[in-house]
Amino acid sequence: MDKCNVILNGERYIEGIDSSLFTICADGGYEHIRDRFTPNIYIGDRDSVSNKSISAIEFIELNPEKDLTDGEAAIDVAIERGYGYINLYGIDGGRLDHILTNLKLVVYGKKRGIEVVGIAEKYDIYYFTDRFHIEGSKGKTLSLVPFGVDVHIMSMKGLKYEVNDFTLDALSSRGMSNVIVSDSAEITIDKGASFVFVLRS
């Protein structure tokens, strides 16, 4: 599965970013890497770029009066170019309405048949509708946050607090602050959809 980076105009956390991957900057996301490397694509309406001089291999300029965010447009371009896995930077930080909208881009990717992982300073953000599996994160905190509907958990493995055949209410906080206790962990559900937040430390 081909991977790429999409950088939004959120928090300026791009530690560990693989600059060798195809990279798309959504408008102000360009500021995060301006002095580090040249992105493959700049897409946006230029309203969030402090210096109008932009260096990119390809430019896609959008009308400021549009029906979608620059971030959603960037996801669409990545899919059109054949990428099936997106590292989504700049997802956190700033206005709460922007953060919630950025979170929905992780869901949007799943709806379009690809994997989008939000990469923030304090955590990585995943979304799943059937099986979530992670390796190499022993000792890290994991929170399960249902997305709008109740989630029926069939099984959990590799976590400190495990339940089987359990319905997690969409409004419940019970999925918060679990701990990964094995080299690999897995959650399987057969109803609903959920975000998974894996804290860095």
Side-chain angles (χ1 to χ4, degrees):
M1 184 183 298
D2 289 338
K3 293 184 179 182
C4 75
N5 302 316
V6 170
I7 306 175
L8 307 178
N9 185 30
E11 66 174 2
R12 295 197 177 202
Y13 178 81
I14 55 170
E15 296 304 316
I17 191 169
D18 185 351
S19 60
S20 70
L21 294 179
F22 193 91
T23 298
I24 303 172
C25 288
D27 205 23
Y30 174 74
E31 299 290 357
H32 302 355
I33 55 96
R34 176 190 288 276
D35 299 323
R36 298 185 61 165
F37 64 94
T38 300
N40 297 87
I41 296 177
Y42 163 88
I43 183 169
D45 53 21
R46 295 178 182 253
D47 69 340
S48 300
V49 183
S50 62
N51 184 333
K52 300 303 179 182
S53 175
I54 300 170
S55 176
I57 296 171
E58 180 181 350
F59 290 84
I60 302 175
E61 190 151 357
L62 303 178
N63 190 319
E65 296 184 6
K66 54 187 182 299
D67 296 326
L68 75 171
T69 64
D70 297 322
E72 184 175 338
I75 298 291
D76 286 340
V77 169
I79 294 171
E80 290 167 5
R81 301 295 172 96
Y83 292 96
Y85 190 106
I86 297 174
N87 297 317
L88 186 63
Y89 291 87
I91 191 171
D92 202 359
R95 285 166 42 182
L96 181 57
D97 55 338
H98 285 179
I99 295 171
L100 292 174
T101 299
N102 291 342
L103 277 173
K104 290 198 294 183
L105 293 179
V106 180
V107 181
Y108 179 64
K110 181 71 71 174
K111 183 178 180 180
R112 293 290 306 273
I114 69 164
E115 192 73 24
V116 177
V117 176
I119 301 176
E121 181 177 4
K122 296 181 179 179
Y123 37 70
D124 292 335
I125 307 164
Y126 305 85
Y127 173 81
F128 76 115
T129 57
D130 43 27
R131 176 178 173 268
F132 172 77
H133 182 88
I134 191 167
E135 296 187 4
S137 295
K138 184 177 181 179
K140 292 184 178 181
T141 298
L142 178 151
S143 289
L144 191 65
V145 182
F147 182 63
V149 294
D150 296 350
V151 171
H152 182 251
I153 301 169
M154 296 177 65
S155 64
M156 285 181 162
K157 298 177 182 178
L159 296 165
K160 182 176 181 179
Y161 307 107
E162 297 181 347
V163 294
N164 297 288
D165 190 20
F166 176 80
T167 297
L168 179 61
D169 189 286
L171 301 180
S172 172
S173 60
R174 183 165 176 172
M176 295 295 292
S177 299
N178 209 329
V179 180
I180 301 172
V181 295
S182 298
D183 291 331
S184 65
E186 185 173 297
I187 304 170
T188 304
I189 65 176
D190 64 355
K191 176 186 175 184
S194 183
F195 287 109
V196 177
F197 291 75
V198 179
L199 276 64
R200 299 198 178 282
S201 58

